[in-house]
Amino acid sequence: MIRPILRMNVLPTLALTLGLLGPALASAEQPAASSTAPALKGGTCSVEGLMDSIRRGLHSDSEAYKQYLRTLLRESAVNLPLAELQGAFEREYDPVMVENLAAALVARTERGLEPEAMQAVAKRALEDRDPGIRAATVRAMRRTGALERTGDMYERLVRDTSPEVRMEAANNLVEDNLHVYGGHDGHAADTAVAAAAAAASSDPKVTAKILGQLMTGEISEGSARKLEQFLRSDSPEVRAAASTALGGVPAAQMASAKQALVGMYRDESDPTVRKSIIQSIARLGYSGAVPELQRLRGVDPSLSPEIDTWIRVLEKNPQDWSLILREKQRLQQAR
């Protein structure tokens, strides 16, 4: 517990020191020779001074140094005056600086300070006139608790007029589900499915992005039914992603998911979608899926080798999905 406390105290102090000493060293004249050491004077570093130092540093060619500065700002945020930090954020129009200032505000809320700090970021993500600024503020909320603190923000973001903003929102939903909640939070997964549904008519690529990488092991029954509805999408990309998502649903939803996938396979014409369906049927049933896969084998002769490979893997009765995928890959490479 000692190390985090030291980190919180040392980094802001270092930030203030950089803000004070950097300009001073750059502009100071050579002092006259004297036998008396100059007296040290105390001072303070404004948010604006810190921002200027970071702005200059972000033009460095060193990615490590730029990452250090971004981390420094986030760590310093808890000791900076909220009004000044939020004011700097609202006045800023360089997307790179906006993203870093937004991340600093989000950090305040994440560390138990003002909830309005994150709300200010969400408001700008939704309302700023510049799509580049909106996209930057969305990125600043990635891998944070924004999903559970911002209401229907993501459903609104995936309907944004900017494709960049919509895709950044999709990336947030996928990464938050995996890295913040570990794929084990029903609310996070349901929020992602709801956002995918909101984007379905206007941006199928965003819907496919969310569904194709979403961990669905904790979704609700309502969300599972929405995934089944996506199987009727006009977009093959969405149908394939929905098929993949259905392979990971909770045990209570497996029977319905399997029935929907099997029924869809017989009517589906896109080979990529059919491959996704085959994989999800295998995932839902493990070795118990072998009889169903054998019955589907004659529907599309071109995919018979694909089904045969899955059957060979499942008949070995592995008990872990990652091992099944690894063995499937090994058999494919050996062909």
Side-chain angles (χ1 to χ4, degrees):
M1 295 299 295
I2 295 175
R3 291 182 65 187
I5 293 173
L6 289 174
R7 186 184 184 201
M8 290 293 295
N9 290 334
V10 172
L11 284 174
T13 302
L14 179 57
L16 299 179
T17 303
L18 286 172
L20 286 168
L21 294 183
L25 291 175
S27 60
E29 297 180 4
Q30 293 293 328
S34 171
S35 59
T36 304
L40 297 177
K41 295 182 179 180
T44 60
C45 180
S46 67
V47 171
E48 184 177 353
L50 179 57
M51 294 307 100
D52 287 343
S53 296
I54 291 176
R55 192 188 308 275
R56 289 192 298 270
L58 289 176
H59 290 291
S60 166
D61 292 333
S62 169
E63 288 300 323
Y65 181 58
K66 288 188 284 188
Q67 179 59 41
Y68 161 74
L69 289 174
R70 288 189 287 266
T71 302
L72 181 63
L73 177 56
R74 287 196 302 272
E75 297 292 344
S76 302
V78 294
N79 290 329
L80 295 172
L82 174 62
E84 291 185 36
L85 186 61
Q86 188 168 330
F89 167 68
E90 291 171 351
R91 291 189 301 271
E92 184 62 58
Y93 273 91
D94 175 355
V96 174
M97 286 300 297
V98 166
E99 182 175 345
N100 285 286
L101 285 163
L105 286 168
V106 169
R108 292 184 68 95
T109 298
E110 292 278 272
R111 296 185 185 185
L113 298 180
E114 313 85 357
E116 59 266 29
M118 184 179 288
Q119 293 301 323
V121 176
K123 185 175 188 295
R124 194 165 188 190
L126 291 165
E127 299 178 3
D128 198 279
R129 291 178 295 177
D130 184 341
I133 297 297
R134 297 199 301 276
T137 55
V138 172
R139 284 193 297 273
M141 292 183 279
R142 187 165 300 160
R143 300 195 185 189
T144 72
L147 184 148
E148 57 191 280
R149 295 175 183 269
T150 53
D152 66 347
M153 178 186 72
Y154 279 108
E155 290 185 50
R156 296 170 64 186
L157 286 172
V158 296
R159 295 194 296 263
D160 193 277
T161 56
S162 165
E164 180 187 9
V165 174
R166 297 195 296 267
M167 191 55 71
E168 293 291 358
N171 288 331
N172 280 21
L173 288 166
V174 169
E175 293 201 23
D176 291 357
N177 181 261
L178 177 60
H179 297 288
V180 178
Y181 303 99
H184 299 295
D185 185 270
H187 173 68
D190 288 344
T191 299
V193 172
S201 60
S202 59
D203 197 335
K205 287 189 177 298
V206 164
T207 298
K209 172 70 175 182
I210 296 170
L211 299 182
Q213 300 184 41
L214 185 65
M215 298 178 71
T216 54
E218 300 294 333
I219 64 170
S220 65
E221 180 179 0
S223 290
R225 298 295 83 77
K226 286 181 182 177
L227 292 179
E228 292 174 12
Q229 292 170 11
F230 285 125
L231 298 179
R232 298 192 292 271
S233 170
D234 291 335
S235 166
E237 193 174 8
V238 171
R239 297 199 302 275
S243 300
T244 299
L246 280 167
V249 297
Q253 315 304 329
M254 286 182 176
S256 178
K258 177 184 173 183
Q259 183 178 2
L261 289 167
V262 170
M264 178 189 174
Y265 185 84
R266 299 183 183 279
D267 297 327
E268 181 58 56
S269 59
D270 188 287
T272 300
V273 180
R274 275 186 163 162
K275 284 185 178 182
S276 297
I277 295 172
I278 293 168
Q279 175 171 310
S280 285
I281 292 173
R283 187 176 184 184
L284 289 168
Y286 281 44
S287 60
V290 170
E292 195 64 66
L293 292 174
Q294 288 173 332
R295 284 192 288 271
L296 294 176
R297 192 175 179 280
V299 174
D300 183 351
S302 69
L303 289 176
S304 293
E306 176 77 5
I307 291 179
D308 289 342
T309 302
W310 277 112
I311 291 173
R312 288 176 61 191
V313 172
L314 297 174
E315 285 181 336
K316 295 181 180 182
N317 201 29
Q319 299 301 306
D320 183 83
W321 181 243
S322 64
L323 294 178
I324 290 174
L325 290 176
R326 191 181 308 165
E327 178 63 10
K328 166 79 163 33
Q329 183 179 35
R330 188 188 70 79
L331 290 178
Q332 284 179 318
Q333 291 173 343
R335 284 197 308 209

